[in-house]
């Protein structure tokens, strides 16, 4: 006895036939965005003559690690990584602490006009950093924090974006749960540590990665504050290395850029799902 295969509804078949257009658009967009990254990695294994001879070809027939040898020999990469890591850790830890505490206060404490306070936080997200850069620089100069890693980190100890994202996640927690804990004389910090944080853990992890990557990639503000080369971050070293080699060290520059890219890229790959889920959740209203 033959079993008849059910035909797909006509609308579903039409929909599937039309999906290739959107997939083609996504594929083209992916190639456009990923090509510079792949080209950077490929160029880091080329000699100077190969770079100019290969045109837009990503890879070379004779790869070499000489560029990486040059970078590690002359640029104190470990020191650059340490400076970048120090700043990124200070900024990330401070931002996540202030974001979690502020979000908890806005969601579960009896504040006067919490929506107004949250609105002011949100408005600050739309102020360009270039507007407050000079006031920050003058303030740090009077505090004597120029040419210090702390001076780079200090204006970035709180972040309105983090408060916005984590607050949106905390809004999904039922308030009666928090009120029941308060009736049992449980302190706010205990509630935050034992009840709230486990429930918003994915959002917190996502924001940790987000803060770290943003701080790691920062260029303009460290360039303004740091003048001594021993304090340079790895992003600042990219420019100084090009200048020191008369603008011709393309292969070595790409090797240093690849090293600088590996850390944030690895962190993003590790927490990709949590980051995407947090951004999607931030638009869901309770």
């Amino acid at each position: 006895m033959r079993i008849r295969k059910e035909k797909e509804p006509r609308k579903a078949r039409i929909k599937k036939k039309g999906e290739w257009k959107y997939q083609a658009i996504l594929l083209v967009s992916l190639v456009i965005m990923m090509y510079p990254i792949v080209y950077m990695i490929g160029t880091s294994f080329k000699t100077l003559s190969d770079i100019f001879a290969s045109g837009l070809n990503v890879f070379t027939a004779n790869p070499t690690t000489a560029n990486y040898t040059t970078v590690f020999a002359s640029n104190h990469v470990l020191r650059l990584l340490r400076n970048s890591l120090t700043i990124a850790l200070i900024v990330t830890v401070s931002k996540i602490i202030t974001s979690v505490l502020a979000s908890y206060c806005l969601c579960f404490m009896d504040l006067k006009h919490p929506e107004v306070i949250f609105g002011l936080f949100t408005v600050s997200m739309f102020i360009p950093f270039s507007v407050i850069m000079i006031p920050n620089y003058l303030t740090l100069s009077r505090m004597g924090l120029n040419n210090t890693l702390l001076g780079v980190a200090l204006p970035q100890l709180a972040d309105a974006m983090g408060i916005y994202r984590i607050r949106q996640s905390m809004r999904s927690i039922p308030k009666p749960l928090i009120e029941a804990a308060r009736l049992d004389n449980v302190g706010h910090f205990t509630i935050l540590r034992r009840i709230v944080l486990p429930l918003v853990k994915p959002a917190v992890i996502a924001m940790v990665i987000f803060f770290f990557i943003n701080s790691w990639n920062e260029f303009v503000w460290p360039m303004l504050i740091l003048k001594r080369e021993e304090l340079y971050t790895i992003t600042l070293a990219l420019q100084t290395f090009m200048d020191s080699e008369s603008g011709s060290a393309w292969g070595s520059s790409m090797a240093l850029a690849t090293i600088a890219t590996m850390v944030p890229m690895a962190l993003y790959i590790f927490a990709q799902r949590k980051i995407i889920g947090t951004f999607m959740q931030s638009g869901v209203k309770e």
Side-chain angles (χ1 to χ4, degrees):
M1 183 178 176
R2 289 188 177 180
I3 299 174
R4 256 185 155 182
K5 190 177 179 181
E6 293 183 6
K7 292 184 178 180
E8 282 186 302
R10 186 169 179 273
K11 288 184 178 179
R13 293 200 305 271
I14 294 173
K15 184 179 179 181
K16 284 188 175 181
K17 287 180 180 178
E19 284 181 354
W20 70 269
K21 300 176 183 177
Y22 303 104
Q23 292 176 1
I25 293 172
L26 288 174
L27 183 60
V28 171
S29 302
L30 179 63
V31 171
I32 292 173
M33 288 186 291
M34 290 301 297
Y35 178 79
I37 299 174
V38 177
Y39 184 80
M40 173 189 70
I41 297 172
T43 304
S44 68
F45 292 98
K46 296 178 183 178
T47 62
L48 188 60
S49 59
D50 284 339
I51 293 173
F52 290 102
S54 59
L56 295 177
N57 292 332
V58 175
F59 301 107
T60 178
N62 302 306
T64 177
T65 58
N67 295 320
Y68 289 92
T69 303
T70 302
V71 166
F72 278 98
S74 61
N75 278 273
H76 309 288
V77 175
L78 294 180
R79 186 189 67 198
L80 298 172
L81 291 172
R82 183 191 63 198
N83 292 340
S84 295
L85 187 62
T86 301
I87 295 171
L89 287 177
I90 293 173
V91 170
T92 301
V93 172
S94 300
K95 280 186 176 182
I96 205 66
I97 291 174
T98 53
S99 297
V100 168
L101 293 178
S103 300
Y104 180 87
C105 293
L106 290 169
C107 288
F108 304 118
M109 297 188 73
D110 296 328
L111 303 177
K112 290 185 177 180
H113 311 296
E115 295 300 326
V116 175
I117 298 174
F118 178 69
L120 293 175
F121 278 126
T122 306
V123 167
S124 68
M125 291 165 51
F126 298 96
I127 300 176
F129 180 73
S130 56
V131 174
I132 59 174
M133 185 167 59
I134 300 304
N136 281 337
Y137 178 80
L138 294 175
T139 302
L140 290 172
S141 296
R142 293 172 182 175
M143 295 173 65
L145 292 177
N146 279 351
N147 281 317
T148 63
L149 299 181
L150 181 61
V152 178
L154 191 60
Q156 307 178 67
L157 299 186
D159 191 275
M161 178 67 73
I163 296 171
Y164 176 82
R165 302 292 183 189
I166 295 177
R167 173 186 176 269
Q168 292 299 96
S169 296
M170 287 187 181
R171 290 180 68 191
S172 62
I173 301 174
K175 285 189 177 180
L177 181 64
I178 307 301
E179 292 170 356
R182 290 294 296 155
L183 289 174
D184 291 336
N185 292 323
V186 180
H188 284 294
F189 281 102
T190 304
I191 294 173
L192 178 63
R193 181 167 52 90
R194 295 188 177 181
I195 299 176
V196 176
L197 282 180
L199 294 175
V200 298
K201 184 179 177 181
V204 172
I205 293 175
M207 294 314 300
V208 166
I209 304 301
F210 186 76
F211 291 151
F212 185 92
I213 291 174
N214 279 354
S215 178
W216 183 275
N217 294 335
E218 187 70 40
F219 176 76
V220 176
W221 180 243
M223 182 180 65
L224 191 64
I225 293 295
L226 302 177
K227 304 300 180 185
R228 300 203 308 265
E229 288 192 7
E230 60 268 23
L231 295 175
Y232 276 7
T233 62
I234 196 164
T235 52
L236 288 179
L238 285 169
Q239 164 131 15
T240 57
F241 182 66
M242 281 296 298
D243 293 341
S244 64
E245 299 293 329
S246 302
S248 62
W250 295 107
S252 301
S253 299
M254 292 300 101
L256 187 60
T258 301
I259 295 170
T261 305
M262 288 300 103
V263 174
M265 188 178 293
L267 288 174
Y268 176 77
I269 293 172
F270 172 75
Q272 179 183 4
R273 290 184 179 180
K274 291 182 175 61
I275 293 174
I276 294 174
T278 301
F279 275 80
M280 292 176 64
Q281 190 180 30
S282 64
V284 179
K285 191 175 181 180
E286 186 181 17

